[in-house]
């Protein structure tokens, strides 16, 4: 039997530091489970019953060493640096949340206090950003929360998070497609060219209270939303370099537009529109206005911050992911939070919050200033619409990039068909996954309304954030030996305050979401679990052929990176 690189020494040292005296204590056994990299341990034991074996498969972990080796052997082109990762984060964050959902949240839930809702959502995202940054600097591979859950809580939880990310990214991109179509119509409308609703609006409508979904007669298909998503799909198929430069140009444009909107209208706000700053609840439903309405709006506008986690899905295409991923995550979140606060303060001061429940609330605010001042603000409307279209396009680009990389990671593990892991020989992109994701997303955007899609995405993302917080705590105590370029502040034990607070905020925001939204999430998860037990668990490479899976990574190991990303030395051929 050949030797295997052992991590039990590190585990034992850590246990001794913690004051554990018994060699086979519960904690040391729990810790050694995370330090185990022997592929034979995934095989069925002779004395195991069916129930024991299949139960063990559900909680089996993907070793950190195997994940690091996969990064070293990736077929994807490693092109992105730290500033491009920041731009990817900004490109994914600033979009539908600020150009569409901000006005709807103000009109329906929080009034001018929607700015506070953005701050609450920023706190939730900030704690999540710390956890994502530590895990990304420790495990720099594609897959985001799916990969982190697989390494910390086992295959079943990993699959659940991967399926949840399908909801987050695919449905989120569809939401952006609907918002893009609204601004596309508005652009032609300001020049007197009115496009009909029958081919520019989704035919399906949703009402939250009472909950009902229905067909809106006279509307057939959202053509602009469908077309723009298919164009983005083509760009993503061509290559990460082209997609990165397109995103960089678009981000510069939309940052300019957001800053221009703030400074152009800040001198024309009406103070009376801020009174009352927190409108009283008069309906009896706590979701609508009052202090609880602020938190209900926070669940909606939380969608505005979804995107910084997309940075982690590009880990395998980054040049120095351990250092650059935390910079991209935290940097993009700080920049966008500052812009959101200024943007919403000016928007709710330019127009009364009750008037902002439109597909293009930013243009509505400009039109109200136009009416009060009797001046022509056409130039600002044109620039703002073009900026909104550019901004929403970059969100589509990055969101769909994230979705395809999650599919790629799950397919590499065997949990999805191998076709999703197929990389184009010339462009070095997972093109089959990109084509499928793009087509489904385009159809969703063409048929479903923005409010239904946005709420589903927010709740799904909160669930992913919760699991990531748990993962940071688990790996701090089980794998202290793995190098981390970034660590949550607080030392050996007090760091736990940050992920715990983040978990509490996630639970609270999920709790204040509409009940129907939570039920839709459970239904989606139910479908995912059926797929897992019908297909994924039976095709998992880590269980179907664990020795072959480790051998595949070992055989392809890049000798130049072996010191940074060590692959265990193991005699696979002679192992029985």
């Amino acid at each position: 039997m050949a030797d295997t690189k052992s991590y039990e020494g590190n585990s034992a040292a850590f246990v001794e530091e913690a004051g554990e005296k018994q060699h086979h204590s519960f904690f040391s056994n729990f810790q050694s489970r995370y330090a185990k990299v022997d592929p034979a341990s995934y095989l069925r034991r002779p004395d195991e019953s069916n129930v024991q074996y299949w139960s063990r498969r559900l909680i089996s972990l993907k070793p950190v060493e195997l994940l690091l080796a996969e990064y070293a052997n990736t077929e994807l082109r490693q092109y992105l640096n730290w500033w491009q990762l920041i731009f990817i984060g900004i490109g994914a964050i600033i979009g539908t949340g600020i150009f569409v959902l901000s006005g709807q949240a103000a009109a329906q839930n929080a009034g001018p206090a929607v700015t506070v809702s953005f701050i609450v959502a920023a706190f939730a995202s900030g704690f999540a950003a710390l956890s994502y940054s530590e895990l990304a600097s420790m495990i720099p591979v594609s897959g985001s929360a799916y990969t982190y859950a697989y390494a910390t809580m086992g295959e079943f939880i990993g699959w659940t998070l991967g399926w949840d990310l399908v909801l987050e990214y695919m449905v989120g991109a569809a939401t952006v497609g609907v918002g893009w179509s609204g601004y596309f119509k508005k652009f032609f409308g300001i020049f007197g060219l009115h496009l009909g609703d029958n081919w520019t609006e989704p035919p399906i409508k949703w009402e939250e209270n009472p909950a009902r979904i229905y067909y809106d007669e006279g509307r057939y298909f959202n053509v602009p939303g469908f077309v723009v998503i298919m164009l983005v799909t083509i760009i993503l198929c061509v290559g990460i370099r082209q997609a990165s430069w397109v995103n960089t140009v678009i981000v510069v444009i939309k940052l300019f537009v957001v800053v221009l909107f703030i400074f152009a209208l800040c001198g024309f706000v009406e103070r009376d529109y801020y009174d009352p700053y927190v409108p009283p609840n008069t309906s009896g439903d706590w979701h609508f206005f009052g202090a609880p309405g602020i938190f209900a709006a926070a669940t909606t506008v939380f969608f505005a911050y979804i995107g910084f986690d997309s940075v982690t899905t590009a880990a395998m295409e980054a040049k120095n992911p351990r250092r650059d991923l935390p910079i991209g995550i935290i940097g993009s979140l700080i920049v966008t939070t500052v812009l959101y606060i200024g943007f919403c303060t000016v928007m709710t001061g330019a127009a009364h919050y009750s008037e902002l429940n439109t597909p293009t609330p930013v243009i509505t605010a400009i039109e109200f200033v136009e009416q009060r001042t009797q001046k022509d603000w056409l130039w600002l409307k044109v620039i703002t619409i073009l900026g909104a279209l550019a901004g929403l396009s970059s969100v589509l680009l990055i969101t769909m990039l994230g979705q395809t990389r999650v599919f790629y990671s799950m397919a590499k593990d065997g949990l999805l068909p191998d076709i999703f892991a197929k990389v184009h020989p010339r462009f070095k992109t997972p093109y089959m996954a990109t084509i499928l994701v793009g087509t489904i997303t385009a159809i969703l955007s063409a048929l479903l309304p923005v409010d239904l899609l946005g709420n589903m995405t927010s709740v799904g993302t909160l669930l992913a954030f919760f699991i990531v917080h748990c993962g940071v705590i688990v790996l701090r105590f089980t794998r202290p030996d793995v190098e981390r370029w970034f660590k949550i502040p607080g030392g050996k034990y007090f760091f736990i305050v940050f992920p715990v607070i983040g978990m509490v905020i996630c639970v609270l925001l999920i709790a204040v979401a509409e009940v129907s939204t939570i039920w839709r999430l459970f239904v989606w998860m139910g479908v995912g679990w059926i797929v897992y037990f019908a297909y994924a668990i039976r095709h998992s490479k880590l269980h179907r052929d664990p020795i072959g899976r480790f051998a595949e990574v070992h055989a392809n190991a890049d000798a130049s990176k072996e010191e940074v990303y060590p692959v265990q030395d193991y005699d696979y051929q002679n192992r029985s």
Side-chain angles (χ1 to χ4, degrees):
M1 182 185 300
D3 293 334
T4 303
K5 288 185 179 179
S6 175
Y7 292 85
E8 294 179 359
N10 291 329
S11 299
F14 181 78
V15 173
E16 289 176 7
E17 289 180 15
E20 297 288 352
K21 296 181 179 181
Q22 296 182 354
H23 179 70
H24 296 291
S25 66
F26 169 79
F27 186 77
S28 62
N29 290 337
F30 179 71
Q31 191 181 42
S32 64
R33 172 173 175 257
Y34 283 80
K36 188 184 298 180
V37 292
D38 184 358
S41 65
Y42 294 90
L43 298 174
R44 184 169 182 170
R45 300 165 187 158
D47 58 340
E48 262 187 327
S49 66
N50 286 333
V51 174
Q52 290 174 325
Y53 172 62
W54 288 99
S55 298
R56 185 164 61 88
R57 289 185 62 166
L58 294 178
I59 60 173
S60 60
L61 306 170
K62 187 174 183 180
V64 172
E65 286 72 24
L66 186 60
L67 291 168
L68 296 178
E70 287 180 353
Y71 170 80
N73 306 327
T74 181
E75 298 177 81
L76 302 178
R77 180 174 285 128
Q78 295 170 346
Y79 172 76
L80 304 172
N81 55 36
W82 66 269
W83 67 266
Q84 288 170 318
L85 290 171
I86 289 179
F87 271 60
I88 284 177
I90 296 174
I93 294 172
I94 297 181
T96 302
I98 191 171
F99 291 118
V100 180
L101 296 180
S102 57
Q104 295 180 359
Q108 298 177 5
N109 302 106
V114 70
T115 303
V116 180
S117 301
F118 271 95
I119 295 175
V120 171
F123 268 104
S125 301
F127 287 113
L130 292 175
S131 294
Y132 268 97
S133 294
E134 176 162 331
L135 289 180
S137 70
M138 177 185 177
I139 312 174
V141 296
S142 299
S144 189
Y146 156 72
T147 301
Y148 306 148
Y150 203 164
T152 58
M153 299 180 190
E155 185 176 277
F156 179 70
I157 299 298
W159 165 268
T160 301
L161 260 292
W163 192 254
D164 179 62
L165 291 176
V166 173
L167 177 74
E168 174 187 340
Y169 290 128
M170 188 180 296
V171 178
T175 307
V176 177
V178 178
W180 194 95
S181 181
Y183 276 94
F184 182 79
K185 283 179 56 182
K186 195 69 176 180
F187 177 77
F188 288 97
I190 62 177
F191 294 107
L193 301 174
H194 298 285
L195 303 179
D197 292 342
N198 51 348
W199 292 105
T200 58
E201 293 282 345
I204 298 174
K205 294 296 180 182
W206 168 257
E207 289 184 2
E208 196 69 60
N209 191 21
R212 74 185 187 104
I213 191 167
Y214 61 94
Y215 171 72
D216 192 355
E217 293 185 8
R219 298 181 181 182
Y220 308 111
F221 202 77
N222 180 8
V223 175
F226 180 88
V227 171
V228 70
I229 290 176
M230 294 309 298
L231 289 176
V232 168
T233 301
I234 295 173
I235 294 175
L236 288 173
C237 286
V238 170
I240 186 64
R241 178 180 299 177
Q242 291 77 7
S244 174
W245 279 110
V246 169
N247 176 69
T248 300
V249 172
I250 292 176
V251 167
V252 170
I253 293 173
K254 72 177 175 181
L255 287 177
F256 168 76
V257 170
V258 170
V259 173
L260 177 65
F261 175 85
I262 293 172
F263 283 97
L265 295 187
C266 64
F268 298 92
V269 299
E270 285 286 334
R271 293 187 178 181
D272 292 343
Y273 290 161
Y274 298 130
D275 187 20
Y277 190 70
V278 182
N281 185 308
T282 58
S283 65
D285 188 334
W286 63 271
H287 288 91
F288 304 106
F289 305 111
I294 294 175
F295 291 94
T299 303
T300 299
V301 302
F302 186 77
F303 182 88
Y305 289 100
I306 295 173
F308 70 84
D309 57 323
S310 299
V311 175
T312 63
T313 63
M316 283 190 169
E317 289 151 295
K319 293 179 180 178
N320 187 0
R322 285 180 180 260
R323 184 199 69 184
D324 295 345
L325 287 176
I327 295 174
I329 294 169
I330 297 175
S332 60
L333 187 62
I334 292 174
V335 171
T336 52
T337 298
V338 172
L339 292 176
Y340 279 167
I341 293 173
F343 191 91
C344 289
T345 300
V346 171
M347 184 177 67
T348 54
H352 194 268
Y353 69 87
S354 61
E355 303 293 339
L356 295 175
N357 191 21
T358 67
T360 56
V362 181
I363 303 304
T364 301
I366 298 175
E367 290 174 344
F368 267 80
V369 172
E370 198 172 43
Q371 293 173 10
R372 290 200 310 272
T373 61
Q374 297 299 309
K375 295 181 180 179
D376 185 6
W377 291 82
L378 178 63
W379 64 273
L380 183 59
K381 287 191 286 186
V382 171
I383 294 176
T384 302
I385 290 176
L386 292 176
L389 289 173
L392 295 173
S393 299
S394 71
V395 175
L396 282 174
L397 187 72
I398 303 306
T399 303
M400 292 175 62
L401 170 71
Q403 173 62 85
T404 56
R405 270 47 179 183
V406 171
F407 264 44
Y408 172 80
S409 296
M410 296 176 75
K412 290 287 286 185
D413 292 330
L415 302 183
L416 289 175
D418 289 339
I419 191 172
F420 295 120
K422 193 172 183 180
V423 175
H424 196 280
R426 176 184 174 187
F427 300 127
K428 300 299 181 183
T429 58
Y431 68 104
M432 294 303 296
T434 303
I435 293 172
L436 178 66
V437 167
T439 302
I440 296 176
T441 303
I443 293 173
L444 291 177
S445 179
L447 300 177
L448 298 181
V450 65
D451 47 356
L452 173 64
L453 294 169
N455 288 338
M456 289 177 64
T457 307
S458 294
V459 173
T461 304
L462 287 167
L463 176 61
F465 285 4
F466 180 88
I467 298 298
V468 169
H469 287 308
C470 294
V472 168
I473 297 173
V474 169
L475 287 180
R476 272 290 186 101
F477 290 106
T478 58
R479 295 307 306 269
D481 55 296
V482 179
E483 179 185 359
R484 296 162 173 82
W485 186 88
F486 174 88
K487 280 188 175 182
I488 297 174
K492 189 173 181 180
Y493 297 109
F494 291 105
F495 82 94
I496 200 172
V497 172
F498 291 94
V500 168
I501 292 176
M503 291 163 65
V504 171
I505 293 176
C506 289
V507 171
L508 291 176
L509 289 178
I510 291 175
V512 300
E514 294 287 350
V515 175
S516 58
T517 300
I518 298 175
W519 275 113
R520 289 194 295 271
L521 176 63
F522 280 123
V523 170
W524 176 256
M525 289 303 174
V527 174
W529 293 333
I530 292 173
V531 175
Y532 175 74
F533 288 108
Y535 178 87
I537 194 172
R538 301 178 184 277
H539 292 81
S540 171
K541 292 182 180 179
L542 205 55
H543 293 287
R544 198 174 189 183
D545 183 17
I547 294 178
R549 178 63 176 141
F550 277 75
E552 176 188 359
V553 174
H554 185 274
N556 296 328
D558 185 350
S560 65
K561 298 178 181 178
E562 191 170 352
E563 293 184 2
V564 181
Y565 303 106
V567 183
Q568 66 179 94
D569 186 13
Y570 194 82
D571 188 357
Y572 301 98
Q573 294 181 349
N574 296 328
R575 178 75 178 186
S576 57

